[in-house]
Amino acid sequence: MPTTTGSSSLRRGRDAELTRARKRVEELRARIEHHDYRYYVLAAPEVSDAEYDALVRELAGLEQRFPELITKDSPTQRVGERPSTLFAPARHSEPLLSLDNAFDADELRAWFARVEKNLGTRGCPPVFCEPKIDGVSVAVVYERGRLVRAATRGDGFVGEDVTANARTIRSLPTRLRGSPPESLEIRGEVFLPVAEFERLNFELGSAGRPLFANPRNAAAGSLRQKDPKVTASRPLRVVFHGLVRVRGAVLETHGEALELFRALGLGVPAGARRCTSVGEVETYVRELEGRRHSFEHEMDGVVVKLDEYDACAELGATSKAPRWAIAFKFASEEQTTSLKDVRVSVGRTGVVTPFAVLEPVRIGGVTVSLATLHNEDEIARKDLRIGDTVVVRRAGDVIPEVVAPVPSVRTGAERRFTMPRRCPACDEPISRDAGEIASYCKNLGCPAQVLARLVHFASRSAMDVQHLGERTAATLIERGLVDDPADLFFLEVEDLSGLPGFGPRAAANLIAAIDEARARPLERLLVGLGIRHVGPRAARVLAEQFRSIEAVARAPEDELATVNGLGPVVARAVREFFERPETRRLIDDLRRGGVRPRESGPDRAGPLAGKTFVVTGTLATLSREEAKDRIEALGGRVASSVSRSTDYLVVGERAGSKLAAARRLGTTTMDEERFLDVLSRS
Ligand code: IVH
């Protein structure tokens, strides 16, 4: 009968699927176990959290579909891995569980729905939201106010006794303040501030030692040192986010626990907030993700936990995680990928910069396939080799960076990078002078340099020639129409029409844009010339003092050095530049081409007149100096610290105390996007 045939073929189909699933489950378990060992025991993970999570999720999904494949020792059924033998074992009084994750708003809402259902409440019970600090989990015991033990999480039941090392952490009080309860066990997170992580990696690399892939590994590695003196030399911090048990005090809510911790002199998560609706939690999550880089530690999400302990007790826990808390995970900012090649690019000053060609990888919603490697020494410092698996980070809008290799997965086929002997663009020798970090192609006529100089000349902060991007500049050079910036001013519409991508309209537009640039202020021309050490600020000082390019070109070195704080380095560079015969030719040609810089100075009646700005953190598209110049050019004032007279705080990545001060004073803040918008509209 057709139905029978149908169902038996269905069964056969399921059997085949089960066989496939069994194989995959086994594979996944082996991989997860391996990564657990690397992470928990060696504190040296090989894959990012996101990749690890994906493996666990796939395994959990298969086990859900085929429950017959679940075994007691599956990684989904356990809390963690075995502790190492470096430290004495420390049995936890309560198992230190992990947290379940929510990866999007739907999963977060589903968690709330489950909580409400299980508690039988209508609406959302009060919850606490906190940053999920990306550090090392610790359990700390105080008896009569004295620190008696600090232990890592280990497998959740037995951790490692790291008391001696933990005692070196200055934010961990050895004696509690105020009136401590008789006995207290608390959970917290040890972390290394991001700035300290960067400093530590720099030092390690300079000493030829392996780097840490991220601040968490650095914290774990520092806490698990054999010698507490090494731990002491690493500025670790600790904050506490949970009560395990207390004797001699009555605490009913998480909020009370955090208050008690504070009163006892213990750090608590910055930015914790009590919320009473799902909407409030969602707002908190969005806000925190937006400013995740303004914290001194890394965070990989938000932890949402019920405030009332009675409700927590009612919900209980699975073998792995409590039901009363959930971690909302942010998108990962770190991935591993393979370093396929290292190539070099040549800049306008002839600096030869190596860059990484990566197997494309998505990080924080953007595909990364290239990353600068700065210079030869930096590659050696990080011990990066072609063919390596590498950790790539892209924190917020910050340019992607190759942080470190994963040496443990090397096959032996990896190759060290050596700087090419000849320039890839002109085949002239590449050289590196004694005491210099950078390598140079010293051929001023090198096509790569000519192109980079032209693009710089036309760029927004210099002569701002609209419609002249890199591609057009390259075409003009290739066709022999332009050799140096002055040639632009001799171009005519007929020269351009017929070039690829140039209709009559585009040709006329470019010629009009070039014409407009003839009257740009002197300071912009000085920037456009690309004189070493002369950025917008020095250019403005020179323009204000000398008023014409000829006067700058004539000025003796000692006079230049004393102008408004320019100093000897800039003075030397300016003199050297104008003494070159090719510079003199270029200046003549610019004049013959009709370039007549107009007088300039800050626009005192500009659209930002009377407004005071402070800039904090790192901006992705402008240096601090450039931001200052742009504000001042529009008549605004730039101050160095936030006060009551500050109108706007421009907030970049990793903003710190200034942001806090602005919040206190109620100063208006704007992020980089908004700031650029204000500049372009003003
Ligand atoms: S509450 C039962 N709050 O995240 C677990 N954990 O992925 C209760 N973590 O091992 C933990 N910041 O060490 C909590 N604000 C925070 C946290 C936090 C980081 C860690 C915690 C745990 C891990 C779970």
Side-chain angles (χ1 to χ4, degrees):
M1 274 184 349
T3 30
T4 320
T5 319
S7 78
S8 74
S9 82
L10 268 183
R11 200 173 317 119
R12 266 203 310 280
R14 190 178 190 281
D15 285 351
E17 244 190 289
L18 180 65
T19 312
R20 270 200 304 277
R22 175 169 290 125
K23 200 159 156 253
R24 180 69 184 149
V25 160
E26 238 117 48
E27 217 171 87
L28 286 167
R29 283 179 190 156
R31 281 172 68 184
I32 292 166
E33 262 154 23
H34 169 76
H35 292 313
D36 278 345
Y37 173 74
R38 300 281 324 179
Y39 183 100
Y40 291 115
V41 183
L42 302 185
E46 291 168 356
V47 292
S48 66
D49 283 1
E51 283 166 273
Y52 177 86
D53 286 344
L55 295 177
V56 176
R57 291 193 120 203
E58 188 185 342
L59 176 60
L62 284 171
E63 287 178 347
Q64 199 180 8
R65 263 189 71 208
F66 302 102
E68 58 266 57
L69 296 182
I70 300 178
T71 56
K72 261 210 303 266
D73 64 358
S74 172
T76 56
Q77 311 298 305
R78 288 196 300 173
V79 184
E81 247 307 328
R82 258 162 291 141
S84 83
T85 50
L86 247 184
F87 297 89
R91 179 164 291 281
H92 299 300
S93 61
E94 302 269 340
L96 293 195
L97 300 179
S98 178
L99 285 171
D100 281 336
N101 295 321
F103 291 93
D104 56 35
D106 285 344
E107 291 185 7
L108 184 63
R109 275 184 228 129
W111 177 77
F112 272 108
R114 273 199 308 279
V115 167
E116 283 165 31
K117 185 165 160 253
N118 288 343
L119 288 178
T121 53
R122 243 189 300 131
C124 161
V127 290
F128 249 87
C129 298
E130 295 165 4
K132 184 170 185 307
I133 299 147
D134 203 5
V136 183
S137 190
V138 285
V140 174
V141 180
Y142 285 94
E143 297 292 352
R144 283 179 293 281
R146 282 174 191 274
L147 172 71
V148 295
R149 196 181 79 168
T152 62
R153 177 162 165 254
D155 66 0
F157 299 97
V158 180
E160 296 164 313
D161 189 326
V162 289
T163 315
N165 287 350
R167 277 186 196 283
T168 70
I169 302 175
R170 302 187 84 137
S171 52
L172 183 71
T174 47
R175 267 201 276 177
L176 293 174
R177 301 158 72 99
S179 7
E182 198 187 328
S183 171
L184 178 71
E185 181 167 349
I186 50 185
R187 271 190 83 162
E189 214 70 14
V190 170
F191 64 91
L192 188 68
V194 179
E196 300 293 351
F197 156 72
E198 278 159 9
R199 198 187 339 238
L200 172 63
N201 256 1
F202 187 84
E203 280 167 14
L204 289 173
S206 307
R209 296 174 46 205
L211 307 189
F212 288 111
N214 53 42
R216 190 198 49 231
N217 288 7
S222 303
L223 188 63
R224 299 175 72 263
Q225 285 289 332
K226 265 194 192 147
D227 180 359
K229 279 203 221 79
V230 179
T231 311
S233 73
R234 311 262 170 92
L236 294 170
R237 304 272 178 78
V238 63
V239 293
F240 292 95
H241 50 63
L243 175 72
V244 179
R245 68 186 166 82
V246 61
R247 209 171 49 232
V250 179
L251 295 171
E252 291 184 349
T253 64
H254 179 64
E256 286 172 13
L258 292 185
E259 244 169 65
L260 175 70
F261 294 174
R262 257 192 230 110
L264 298 174
L266 298 159
V268 297
R273 189 187 297 167
R274 189 171 184 271
C275 296
T276 51
S277 74
V278 184
E280 260 181 74
V281 172
E282 285 177 357
T283 308
Y284 178 89
V285 168
R286 263 198 309 278
E287 266 178 34
L288 208 72
E289 182 155 25
R291 55 189 195 99
R292 67 191 279 193
H293 298 293
S294 64
F295 286 71
E296 60 173 357
H297 53 71
E298 296 225 305
M299 66 177 84
D300 55 345
V302 167
V303 183
V304 182
K305 38 183 111 158
L306 293 188
D307 189 24
E308 283 161 19
Y309 287 153
D310 276 354
C312 293
E314 203 176 325
L315 288 183
T318 66
S319 65
K320 219 184 120 228
R323 293 196 186 87
W324 45 262
I326 185 102
F328 183 95
K329 295 289 278 273
F330 297 151
S332 167
E333 298 191 315
E334 184 183 302
Q335 295 292 345
T336 49
T337 188
S338 108
L339 176 61
K340 294 200 299 189
D341 201 1
V342 176
R343 297 199 196 133
V344 298
S345 68
V346 184
R348 69 185 157 85
T349 56
V351 174
V352 180
T353 308
F355 63 93
V357 180
L358 303 164
E359 183 62 41
V361 60
R362 275 184 84 72
I363 314 178
V366 169
T367 302
V368 177
S369 51
L370 299 174
T372 178
L373 294 171
H374 305 289
N375 55 58
E376 216 178 345
D377 289 3
E378 185 77 358
I379 299 174
R381 211 169 58 73
K382 292 182 175 172
D383 188 24
L384 296 173
R385 303 183 197 172
I386 298 163
D388 263 343
T389 296
V390 291
V391 179
V392 181
R393 286 161 66 87
R394 184 184 156 268
D397 289 336
V398 174
I399 299 161
E401 191 199 4
V402 179
V403 189
V406 185
S408 57
V409 294
R410 280 187 178 144
T411 62
E414 297 76 14
R415 286 184 293 122
R416 285 207 162 80
F417 166 78
T418 47
M419 188 55 88
R421 282 227 253 262
R422 298 195 161 270
C423 170
C426 70
D427 209 35
E428 290 291 312
I430 289 176
S431 58
R432 181 173 166 182
D433 295 341
E436 281 258 6
I437 290 173
S439 301
Y440 283 88
C441 160
K442 290 190 173 160
N443 169 19
L444 285 175
C446 166
Q449 290 183 47
V450 172
L451 174 62
R453 281 200 295 270
L454 189 61
V455 170
H456 172 75
F457 183 82
S459 67
R460 254 173 71 178
S461 61
M463 294 292 267
D464 196 14
V465 184
Q466 306 276 301
H467 311 292
L468 185 56
E470 180 152 354
R471 181 135 21 117
T472 304
T475 311
L476 295 177
I477 293 169
E478 265 164 37
R479 296 293 166 120
L481 289 166
V482 173
D483 272 337
D484 68 29
D487 291 339
L488 287 175
F489 300 98
F490 294 89
L491 286 176
E492 291 179 10
V493 173
E494 298 79 71
D495 295 326
L496 304 178
S497 32
L499 292 186
F502 269 96
R505 177 103 164 252
N509 282 344
L510 180 55
I511 296 296
I514 292 171
D515 186 43
E516 212 177 284
R518 286 191 164 94
R520 292 266 182 266
L522 176 58
E523 66 204 61
R524 283 171 163 269
L525 175 61
L526 285 167
V527 172
L529 291 176
I531 308 166
R532 239 180 138 191
H533 304 301
V534 178
R537 198 180 156 73
R540 179 142 39 78
V541 172
L542 288 169
E544 278 173 6
Q545 178 74 21
F546 295 101
R547 309 248 149 213
S548 76
I549 192 94
E550 288 77 12
V552 182
R554 274 197 308 269
E557 192 172 327
D558 51 355
E559 188 181 339
L560 286 164
T562 54
V563 174
N564 211 349
L566 280 188
V569 176
V570 178
R572 184 86 284 268
V574 173
R575 263 307 354 111
E576 264 176 16
F577 180 78
F578 282 104
E579 260 155 33
R580 287 190 212 146
E582 58 274 16
T583 304
R584 293 187 182 273
R585 261 199 314 274
L586 177 68
I587 303 297
D588 282 349
D589 289 347
L590 286 168
R591 176 155 282 279
R592 282 198 306 107
V595 176
R596 300 277 183 279
R598 87 179 131 78
E599 283 225 353
S600 66
D603 186 353
R604 309 244 174 258
L608 301 183
K611 297 288 178 219
T612 300
F613 286 73
V614 172
V615 183
T616 183
T618 314
L619 301 176
T621 60
L622 294 174
S623 70
R624 286 267 188 105
E625 278 307 315
E626 283 165 346
K628 186 166 189 281
D629 286 326
R630 300 278 300 270
I631 293 166
E632 287 176 354
L634 294 167
R637 200 175 78 82
V638 179
S640 57
S641 62
V642 177
S643 70
R644 289 198 188 284
S645 61
T646 309
D647 294 291
Y648 300 104
L649 177 70
V650 180
V651 184
E653 293 299 324
R654 303 209 198 291
S657 58
K658 285 183 193 157
L659 182 58
R663 293 239 154 81
R664 256 197 326 276
L665 295 169
T667 312
T668 307
T669 59
M670 54 173 94
D671 62 11
E672 184 164 359
E673 198 180 327
R674 170 112 180 76
F675 174 56
L676 294 175
D677 197 42
V678 166
L679 291 180
S680 67
R681 279 162 200 269
S682 298

